[in-house]
Every structure is written in C-alpha cells, then in structure tokens.
Amino acid sequence: MPMPVVPPKPRPGDRVAVLSPSSGLPGLLPLPYELGLTRLEKEFGLVPVEYPSTRTMGATARQRADDIHAAFADPSVKAVIASIGGDDQITVLPLLDRELIRANPKPFFGYSDNTNLLAYLWNTGIVGYHGASVMCELGRPGAMDPLTAESLRAALFTSGPYELRPAGRFRDTDRDWADPATFETEPETRPGTGWRWHGPERVVEGRSWGGNVEILAWLLMADREIAPAAAYDGCVLLLETSEELPAADEVFGILRAMGERDLLRRFPALLMARPKTWSLERRNSPEQAARYAREQREAVLRALAVYAPDTVAVFDVDFGHTDPQLVVPYGGVVRVDGLARRVTVTY
C-alpha cells in the first residue's frame, strides 16, 4: 500500500473546523467545550469555526456528514478537530464522499468514536491524529496538562520525529462537567507507573492503525473500513479502551476475533494505552482500578500469546481516555524501540 498523504499543517492565525461527527454534547455541556475553544484561540493562536451540528444533540448522520464535507472542502480551514466522541459515528461513514476528502486532505484530530473517521482516512490515504478532543483535552479543568499541550502543539504545527514519554502523574477520574466549580481547580492526579514492555527486544517501525477497541469491534462486525489483512503487514497497532470499562473477557474476545480474522499477527508492535479504570457510573476504588488494569493487560497478553507471540507490546502508554494524553499519528510512522525502550512518532 502506498504511503499516505501527510496533510499540510496549520499555522497560528489559521481557521480550524470544530465538528461533532459523533455526539453533539457541546450543546448539552457547554462549559468544557467553550473553555476548549478559548484555549484553541488564546494558547494555540487558532480560529475555531463551528458548523450547524457542532452543538446539536441528536443531529442526523446526514447533517454530520454534511459538516465534515463542508469543513474539508473549505480552503480557508486548515485542520479539523472533533469536539468529543460518542457511539454512532459508524452510521456517518457510508454518507461520506471519499473523493472530496481525498482531494482536500487536512489534519483531523479525534479519538474514541472518532476511530471511525480515522480508519476512514487511513483507507483514503490520509494521515490523521489520534487524540486531542476539544471538550476533554483542551477543556481540561484548571489548565491543559503540559504533556498534552506539548504533544498537541507539536502535532499541529511541526513535522518530524517526536519522542513520546511516560507521564509523571496521571488521572482517570472525572468531575461533573455541568458544575462550574469543576473548572476552578486542578483535578487530582496520582503518580505515573511508567510503561510495561513485553516481547522480543527489537525495533519496529511502521504505519499506525487501530484506535478504540470497542469501536474496532463494531467496524469488524459491520465489515466497514477494514482493509484486507495483508494491508496491515508491518504496521504498529494502537489500542485503547473507553470509559465504558469493557471487561477483560470482552477485550480478549475482540482481540481473539482479530486473530481469527488473521489480523493480529500482521502487527509486529502494539501500543496499548493506559486504561481508564473509573467512571461516573463505576467509581472503582484504587484496588478495584488496579485489578481492572491488570486483568485487561493479562487479557491482551493471552491473545498475543496465541495469535501474535512475536509482537513487541508496550502497555500504559498515555494516548487513550486518561489524562494526560499524547497525540499519536494515525497512518503515520511510529517507531517502537524494544532495545532502548523508546517510542518515537513522526508528526
């Protein structure tokens, strides 16, 4: 498969589209959203441009597809950023005009349900960026985490290698976005745990693919935006789980299905994000959270042992639903150095 196009980068002063390809949650919870817009302007020097469905709860798939088309077709818009994720972006994909988007490549930033659009761009031959939604990362209470801000700035404005590094502190707990007091203080964090390496000590460099495990399962079930298995030969697999906190057995089942589809062995390296272990609906104790993370890691290792025993795996990389969040190119080059224990991405 030919190398994809790396879209031109925006510069301070440029207009960037802020879309809701999944949920129109900015209309329901405006506080983190408007804080994120303010930071895009004041801290990154960009001019956010909203579209008709950006703040519309219950927008139809057609309305969201129209906004995506408008953002990519507008020559004055230099990047596209998702407001947040959701759970039905898969219904938007069949409505997209691939030739329009291919003819107007732009950096797209999003994750979670936006795995749909990232996989679509991968098949369209355009590098995307996994991470940095407006409400979660840019709208973080107190201030943006410095690690997130540095990574996002590098991904937005620079080209070339960028070394990822473990977070010194992190969090996966949340506070009520409807409460203004939430945004007046820094959220509580706890000490980072570093990365966990598994598998052969070798260097793998390849294009990245993957995203949210639950969304990948839906794409696999619908057989949508999944290329023939050989297309992923030599690629680096990115996997992360959401605030839905899927059980370890469910994660194993999804990876087993990928293995049975002859996909898993195609990836000589895997970056597994630090899992979110707490949600407003499931307020796990520290002991429960640690057990959840351990059981998920063991489930992934079980699947690798059966289907991809030679894969180099790195666990607890900060690019998923936890904070801080590193931006990782999707379809771009990722280098996993199992000898030096380093991970470098190319923005």
Side-chain angles (χ1 to χ4, degrees):
M1 183 175 255
M3 284 300 291
V5 171
V6 178
K9 302 295 184 101
R11 293 180 292 185
D14 281 345
R15 288 157 46 94
V16 296
V18 177
L19 302 183
S20 296
S22 296
S23 170
L25 205 58
L28 184 65
L29 294 168
L31 294 178
Y33 175 67
E34 290 172 1
L35 177 57
L37 294 182
T38 298
R39 288 193 178 129
L40 269 178
E41 291 187 274
K42 293 187 175 179
E43 298 182 22
F44 291 86
L46 297 169
V47 180
V49 181
E50 295 186 57
Y51 286 73
S53 70
T54 302
R55 300 194 193 216
T56 304
M57 288 295 294
T60 67
R62 172 55 67 188
Q63 288 171 318
R64 288 175 276 160
D66 288 346
D67 285 355
I68 293 169
H69 292 152
F72 274 89
D74 186 343
S76 75
V77 168
K78 304 303 183 183
V80 181
I81 305 176
S83 66
I84 197 164
D87 64 8
D88 72 341
Q89 194 178 110
I90 194 170
T91 65
V92 177
L93 296 184
L95 306 177
L96 296 179
D97 183 336
R98 199 178 299 271
E99 293 312 310
L100 181 153
I101 292 172
R102 182 181 285 120
N104 299 278
K106 292 177 184 177
F108 171 74
F109 292 81
Y111 67 105
S112 195
D113 198 32
N114 293 290
T115 294
N116 287 282
L117 194 45
L118 289 167
Y120 181 93
L121 292 172
W122 199 95
N123 286 323
T124 307
I126 299 172
V127 172
Y129 296 89
H130 184 282
S133 71
V134 173
M135 293 180 73
C136 296
E137 285 68 44
L138 283 151
R140 181 185 189 270
M144 284 189 74
D145 186 282
L147 207 59
T148 305
E150 178 190 299
S151 171
L152 176 56
R153 192 175 301 278
L156 273 169
F157 300 126
T158 72
S159 300
Y162 180 90
E163 184 170 346
L164 306 185
R165 61 185 191 273
R169 299 188 66 83
F170 79 99
R171 72 176 174 101
D172 65 352
T173 58
D174 304 296
R175 293 180 293 185
D176 184 3
W177 277 352
D179 183 358
T182 291
F183 299 92
E184 295 172 2
T185 58
E186 279 283 315
E188 291 185 12
T189 60
R190 58 184 193 261
T193 56
W195 296 343
R196 300 170 190 261
W197 290 75
H198 168 82
E201 293 185 347
R202 58 191 175 96
V203 178
V204 173
E205 184 171 289
R207 293 178 59 195
S208 58
W209 180 88
N212 180 258
V213 171
E214 302 101 296
I215 303 305
L216 290 175
W218 293 350
L219 290 171
L220 286 160
M221 281 191 284
D223 201 20
R224 188 164 292 167
E225 298 306 323
I226 303 296
Y232 303 109
D233 281 342
C235 289
V236 175
L237 182 59
L238 311 174
L239 294 178
E240 62 98 20
T241 53
S242 76
E243 76 282 357
E244 298 294 327
L245 308 188
D249 284 347
E250 181 182 350
V251 172
F252 174 77
I254 293 168
L255 296 189
R256 178 175 59 194
M258 291 177 66
E260 290 294 329
R261 191 163 172 162
D262 197 33
L263 285 173
L264 211 54
R265 72 177 182 87
R266 305 289 178 164
F267 299 93
L270 161 66
L271 299 185
M272 187 79 200
R274 181 191 303 281
K276 190 167 176 60
T277 62
W278 186 101
S279 73
L280 291 168
E281 291 72 34
R282 289 176 57 187
R283 302 177 184 233
N284 283 333
S285 68
E287 294 76 21
Q288 290 171 321
R291 182 166 59 252
Y292 177 88
R294 183 183 68 252
E295 289 176 351
Q296 182 182 107
R297 183 170 61 253
E298 291 170 351
V300 174
L301 289 173
R302 279 202 337 265
L304 292 179
V306 175
Y307 296 103
D310 296 325
T311 291
V312 182
V314 193
F315 291 87
D316 295 336
V317 184
D318 300 278
F319 69 90
H321 275 69
T322 57
D323 172 52
Q325 185 195 66
L326 298 164
V327 176
V328 179
Y330 191 106
V333 174
V334 175
R335 180 182 174 88
V336 181
D337 188 337
L339 296 169
R341 298 290 201 258
R342 300 170 70 178
V343 177
T344 306
V345 302
T346 300
Y347 291 143

